[in-house]
Amino acid sequence: MAGKSRGVVSVEGKNGEFSESTNSNVTSQNKKAFQEATLKNSIPKRRQELLKWNGWGYRDSELIMNAKQQVELTGHRYKLSGTVMPALKDWLLSNLGARLDYTRPSQPGLTAAELPSPVINQVFLEELVTSGVDHSVDCQDRLFRAHGHTLHEVFALREGNFDRIPDLVVWPVCHDEVVKVVDLACKHNVVIIPFGGGTSVTQAVECPATESRMIVSLDTSQMSRILWLDEKNLTACIEAGVIGQDLERKLEEKGYCTGHEPDSFEFSSLGGWVATRASGMKKNVYGNIEDLVVHLRAVTPRGVLEKGCQVPRISSGPDLHHVLLGSEGTLGVVTEVIMKVRPRPPCQKYGSVVFSGFETGVACLREVARQRCAPASIRLVDNEQFIFGQALKPEVNSIIQSFVDGIKKIYLTKWKGFDPKQMCVATLLFEGTHKDVEVQEKKVYEIASMFGGLPAGEENGQRGYDLTFLIAYIRDLGFHYGVISESFETSVPWDRVVDLCRNVKDRLHRECKARGIPHPPFASCRVTQLYDAGACVYFYFAFCIRGLANPVSVYEEIETAARDEILACGGSISHHHGVGKLRQRWLAQTVSGPGLGLLRAVKQHLDPQNIFGSGNLLGAAAAGPASKL
Amino acid sequence: MIRCNHGFEEIIHHSGCHNVAWGFNSYNPPVYKYNNPRQPSEIRSDVIQSDRVCRTIAQLSEREGKSETELRQEAEEIISEMGHEKGMAAIRVFAIALTNTWRHMYRGIYVNKGNILKVRELCKDHPVVFMPCHRSYMDFLLMSYICYAYDLPCPVITAGMDFMAMQVIGSLLRRSGAFFIRRSFGSDLLYWAIFTEYVQTHLRNGDSPVEFFVEGTRSRSQKSLAPKLGCLTAVLETYFKAEVPDLYIVPVGISYERILEEKLYSYELLGVPKPRESTSGLWKARHILSSDYGSIHVSFATPISVHEFMKGHVDRSVHSVQPRYMSALSQREIAAAQIMAEEVLLQQQRQMVLSPWSLVATLLLHHGGCIHMKQLCTEVQWLKQLAENFGSRVDWHGAEDGSVEKMLRDILPVYKDTVTLSTDLHLRSNPVEKATSDRKGLDSATMATAVQHMMLAIYRNQLLHAFLHTGLISVAVIGCRKNVLCTEELYDRHLFLQKLLCKEFTFSSTNKKKEFDHAFLCLQHIGAVSLSDHQLHIARSTTKTTIFLQRLFQPFLFGYWLLFEYLVTHGVESGSSGQAMAIGAQTLGAHLLQQGILSHPEILSLEMLSNGVKSLLECGAICRQRNRTGDMMLVPDRTEIFHLKNELGKVIQLPVLDAKGLALPLTPAKL
């Protein structure tokens, strides 16, 4: 299909932003154009120049303990950059049992000598060089693509190492180059692990330690163009390597947006969203990734998998998109996505509501879902996270402001009788026309008041969402003081939300106690997404590892126990993070025996050689012969 | 005051509770961390409005054509009949009244404070379920009293309907936390739904600990009864369906030196029905309040975490695809509940403190109802050591310095109705003056002997659990007619006896081999049996200990033999219900006693004979069949029973019955 005229309003070539359509032969001339297009990428090819090699986010943005022993966010990238959070230190010390004199600084770096030497399939490499696809064997390039951001992986970066990292990184610039790479890999039996933003939290990009074949990390970041924008149908054809912030910025220039904002939005890629069935914060207005995708194009060892039309809905047997959505890089590489776009909303407004307790908060959200009047985002955080949020408040410079804060607190606790150890907050984000927002606000606050919820202002709402991007930076600060943390999520029917939240937090506490972890953990949750039939619940879990011999395995045991508890409470294996290598043990009970067989059969057909050998979802068993079925 | 080295503390005679003011003491029990405070009336209305009850009403309305309003009305009546009115006033009244009453009746009530304090801590973090053994009406009063005394939250207690009808007392019990359930409501779906929800709502919200007796009723025989699973499954369901993070079960062993109901029990076991509970009856029985009932030991077991216990037994996620109030429990969950029930009963037994009297009663039976004081002292000491070697705790208060006779003389007045120490220093069991019997075939003389025997047997039963496995091994040893027995065969016979006696005693269905090995090792290490090359040398293993232990269990084996004989000879005529079969066998038993063919009057125990019927039902030797009119009836399988009888003959010398033995007055002519 590439190169054909599609009869749509094409913006091709109008400016540097929207590049020419793909071509079967990448000449040196249009290669230059590709490079120009990718220059606009926020993240460079050598990501480690801009991003931390051993933690989250930008190198220049870091939470540090400043000279006054207060936590401060360095750099200039964020609204909160340069601000001091005076309460955070005490929160860390008192809530997690950290000590300022106990630190676990990261190792300075891993040198070439320490990293595994590459396994090179010489013939493959030679043919790759001939094909002209950009690549690197540099050990830091390989290391950066050896991991995502699970605790296990980050801990290995800070204090350990990896047994196996990719042997080569390739940067195809378009669909056709991906076809070339996959063809070569099939020909020479080389493993491909697709790599998008590298924000996986399921160990999905980790190399299977036992893989003896050459492993190629297929970095999609150089495929980041918007190939066309169709204003009549409100769709855009986008290369799958684009990362969230770049996609929105480019569309914004045209007055559009996708509205897909997962928490990792700054760094995660479109292809990654498809591969994991991602969910965006504003899905109530825009939908989750599966709602946004109109057409997918993926390169599999069996050939290019795609539908022959781009229609809003189709009845043609089981939906092939759903084979690729959530395939976690085990079937092929997603190269191009036709996605819905929306005109940018003129009005965006935060809000918040305080409830006397978590149960009433959940009841309120349930009612909002019942009446289907959820704003773009509505999240309910529990009391632990509410208090945590308070600890992130920036330094208050004006006496009047702190006075006002004091009054607010007195009003809530004394006047309204809210127990500070019970109350929790729902954060809201409204989007639409000014009028829409006004109507939505009225409705939501009306429902909230039925449950005793009190509006608590825009600022509290916004702080809730700020926490989302800040949390991963806080995690790195925690590591430094021996506090390890992780987040995990699930989806659950409405009638079990409260029980699930309570039981899982309780289980985390009990499991920590049983393992002799001296200080109680921070175990907290929030309800982050509303659906007709249930909700998504997101957990934060952190504890101090001082005195533990093997903190990562202790952590993993506890997370396993927590996931068992989630399933026992009627929750799912995952709402949007996926399975990866982390949650395979629960897949069989999740999809049933025949379901597992079906997944194996699909894998067997599309990738009989297990070229896409990341071992995600089905594990090493997927590589086995079909007769095992 | 600490007693018998097991960390027990006395609670009624110490100065702290000497006056009325104690009833007004501050009482600060811990509150479950996820509790939302509710009044008893709110609990009841929550139950009526629960999904489970609403759904049941809707279903019944559809099925039976009654209107929902009518059914809701019915539900309201059930819940108001059932519900407790727990409040502090009644508990304080009880605390004062019971302290004063008990101080006259009991020499001491001893509790193991250490575990009680552990339970108190647990109550903050988990819903707690008390599961005491049930030997007397005193059990639940004791439990609540102890909770009050130690600042534990007082439980809500499942009680039989019989109490509700009692004037004043019924309402007082209700106000102190008792809730009343009908004796049988198997098929009443609405009642089931309300009962289940009522129990579960207390656990979910942790309003109070829930207390119930897994044996279902007071054990007249003083042995653990086979567990009833209804209430336990309702309790466990809250965990299976993840409505609570975890639950803790606290088995409690209560050991009485003398049981209030000893006489009633002896009669009831033989088939004389118990009088109805009434306040006037209680008033008439007030004389018992001035008798000496010795002391009581209440021992809380280490609490069991249901979560830990169920690891590997159940998969809770099976309930994920249905609303929880609709989802039925899985087979694995029901099986796990059975295993849990066994474990609780075994834990209760481990908490028991054996009284010197139960040793005395055992020895009296062993010696035909009469023993010289001197010999008694020696043998009591021997038996005590044997029990301790097998892991039991024996109350030896007053004999720590070796003065066993002094101790025995000190406790004997407690049992003055049962035994007399004559001037020639012989301890004899007192004959029963007049024993009435309305049962055909049971004349009053037989009845009198049987009651006299039962009065001792129920106390001997208190210690049988301590000798269960060693006893069954001894049975197989003594009954062996070969010179040697290999351990595999010994284990097979042990298993056979377990299968046969499964309703009589509590066996663990998961640790069979372990329990056998442990008991066998105990016997070897005290030199009671002699083993070489995996072969048991029978002659050298026929020792004082094995003979004694074998005789402990003889009455049960003869009782089961009696049942077999009855069922084989009478076949389908033997009766259509378990009760009828037991009564038939009892009649035959009385006849055989009179003939001198059998010598243990205990074989007349209807409880034992009914247990036998249940055991045969379980192993398929009795089948349930529908007769021509469609009623369910029980039919013995003669071949199967004959086979069991043969097997039994391998472990014990059985009497041979001739025509004379079987020539019963009631025997149908066709035999």
Side-chain angles (χ1 to χ4, degrees), chain A residues 198-504:
Chain A
T199 57
S200 156
V201 283
T202 60
Q203 299 178 352
V205 297
E206 229 182 41
C207 299
T210 53
E211 182 58 69
S212 56
R213 294 176 290 176
M214 180 181 184
I215 300 176
V216 171
S217 176
L218 192 156
D219 185 320
T220 59
S221 63
Q222 305 310 301
M223 305 194 292
S224 60
R225 295 164 302 165
I226 295 176
L227 299 178
W228 46 258
L229 173 70
D230 178 350
E231 289 174 296
K232 290 217 168 65
N233 290 312
L234 286 179
T235 51
C237 183
I238 307 155
E239 287 187 310
V242 72
I243 59 169
Q245 58 168 322
D246 290 346
L247 175 60
E248 289 307 301
R249 200 186 61 243
K250 289 175 188 177
L251 285 173
E252 188 180 348
E253 287 166 12
K254 298 281 162 199
Y256 292 98
C257 66
T258 64
H260 185 70
E261 289 183 24
D263 290 356
S264 57
F265 161 84
E266 284 173 281
F267 306 106
S268 58
S269 71
L270 171 54
W273 300 337
V274 171
T276 57
R277 289 182 69 86
S279 170
M281 177 178 100
K282 299 190 290 194
K283 74 96 192 154
N284 294 334
V285 174
Y286 301 96
N288 285 320
I289 193 70
E290 68 273 21
D291 310 309
L292 289 165
V293 167
V294 178
H295 182 269
L296 281 179
R297 198 167 198 217
V299 181
T300 78
R302 187 66 72 174
V304 176
L305 179 66
E306 63 183 326
K307 291 183 191 172
C309 51
Q310 50 140 336
V311 291
R313 187 173 189 277
I314 190 169
S315 177
S316 59
D319 192 339
L320 293 181
H321 284 172
H322 287 281
V323 173
L324 292 168
L325 283 156
S327 59
E328 303 192 357
T330 60
L331 302 177
V333 197
V334 176
T335 53
E336 290 169 13
V337 181
I338 301 177
M339 206 175 167
K340 296 178 193 170
V341 295
R342 300 289 304 166
R344 288 185 60 78
C347 177
Q348 212 182 40
K349 197 172 172 189
Y350 290 99
S352 65
V353 181
V354 180
F355 293 98
S356 62
F358 191 67
E359 277 185 49
T360 44
V362 171
C364 173
L365 263 60
R366 205 278 160 266
E367 185 58 31
V368 168
R370 196 195 310 273
Q371 298 194 24
R372 290 193 174 167
C373 61
S377 170
I378 176 168
R379 289 174 170 180
L380 177 75
V381 309
D382 68 358
N383 179 258
E384 287 87 345
Q385 216 167 120
F386 175 67
I387 292 170
F388 178 44
Q390 301 300 306
L392 296 175
K393 274 191 181 174
E395 199 166 29
V396 177
N397 292 318
S398 93
I399 296 175
I400 294 174
Q401 187 55 47
S402 69
F403 178 73
V404 171
D405 285 351
I407 300 260
K408 275 193 225 157
K409 194 172 171 185
I410 289 170
Y411 172 73
L412 274 177
T413 58
K414 296 284 183 289
W415 188 259
K416 284 290 173 183
F418 281 17
D419 178 355
K421 286 185 181 145
Q422 294 289 326
M423 64 195 208
C424 59
V425 64
T427 58
L428 307 162
L429 173 61
F430 301 94
E431 261 192 29
T433 63
H434 289 271
K435 211 177 156 198
D436 288 343
V437 168
E438 214 172 280
V439 173
Q440 282 176 39
E441 274 188 307
K442 189 164 170 282
K443 185 109 196 234
V444 170
Y445 289 126
E446 248 174 43
I447 294 174
S449 76
M450 282 162 48
F451 296 88
L454 299 171
E458 286 184 58
E459 197 200 307
N460 274 317
Q462 179 149 22
R463 188 174 308 117
Y465 292 99
D466 287 347
L467 175 66
T468 304
F469 84 83
L470 200 59
I471 192 80
Y473 287 100
I474 296 175
R475 182 201 208 187
D476 287 338
L477 175 73
F479 275 128
H480 189 76
Y481 289 99
V483 171
I484 60 174
S485 56
E486 187 66 288
S487 59
F488 47 87
E489 41 70 49
T490 189
S491 49
V492 60
W494 278 114
D495 67 320
R496 303 182 194 229
V497 171
V498 170
D499 284 354
L500 181 136
C501 293
R502 183 199 54 229
N503 285 9
V504 172

Side-chain angles (χ1 to χ4, degrees), chain A residues 110-144:
Chain A
L110 287 166
T111 63
E114 288 153 308
L115 291 167
S117 61
V119 175
I120 297 296
N121 183 319
Q122 209 55 49
V123 202
F124 170 81
L125 189 57
E126 278 161 21
E127 290 194 28
L128 188 75
V129 171
T130 320
S131 76
V133 178
D134 197 7
H135 60 273
S136 162
V137 284
D138 177 87
C139 67
Q140 296 302 333
D141 287 338
R142 289 159 51 217
L143 175 63
F144 198 95

Side-chain angles (χ1 to χ4, degrees), chain A residues 359 422 493 495-497 499-500 502-503 505-507 509-511 513 564-565 567-571 589, chain B residues 32-34 36 125-126 240-246 307 311 315-317 319-324:
Chain A
E359 277 185 49
Q422 294 289 326
D495 67 320
R496 303 182 194 229
V497 171
D499 284 354
L500 181 136
R502 183 199 54 229
N503 285 9
K505 290 196 285 179
D506 201 272
R507 181 84 181 260
H509 277 274
R510 273 151 47 212
E511 296 289 336
K513 204 171 165 190
D564 280 338
E565 189 69 36
L567 266 68
C569 294
Q589 75 184 91
Chain B
Y32 177 48
K33 61 186 174 187
Y34 301 126
N36 289 319
D125 290 333
H126 304 280
F240 292 151
K241 296 191 176 168
E243 293 170 334
V244 293
D246 193 3
H307 173 74
K311 276 185 181 164
D315 170 13
R316 290 182 290 160
S317 71
H319 300 291
S320 293
V321 284
Q322 246 186 326
R324 286 177 292 182

Side-chain angles (χ1 to χ4, degrees), chain B residues 609-641:
Chain B
L609 296 167
S610 313
N611 284 341
V613 173
K614 284 178 204 151
S615 161
L616 294 181
L617 261 169
E618 193 152 298
C619 67
I622 296 179
C623 310
R624 289 193 174 83
Q625 280 179 9
R626 285 192 189 284
N627 65 7
R628 285 190 209 96
T629 53
D631 295 327
M632 198 58 96
M633 59 178 295
L634 299 184
V635 179
D637 176 340
R638 286 194 207 198
T639 331
E640 192 56 34
I641 291 174

Side-chain angles (χ1 to χ4, degrees), chain B residues 643-660:
Chain B
H643 168 72
L644 287 172
K645 199 177 100 177
N646 268 347
E647 287 292 306
L648 186 60
K650 285 185 193 163
V651 289
I652 194 161
Q653 185 83 44
L654 294 172
V656 183
L657 278 192
D658 51 14
K660 189 182 152 220

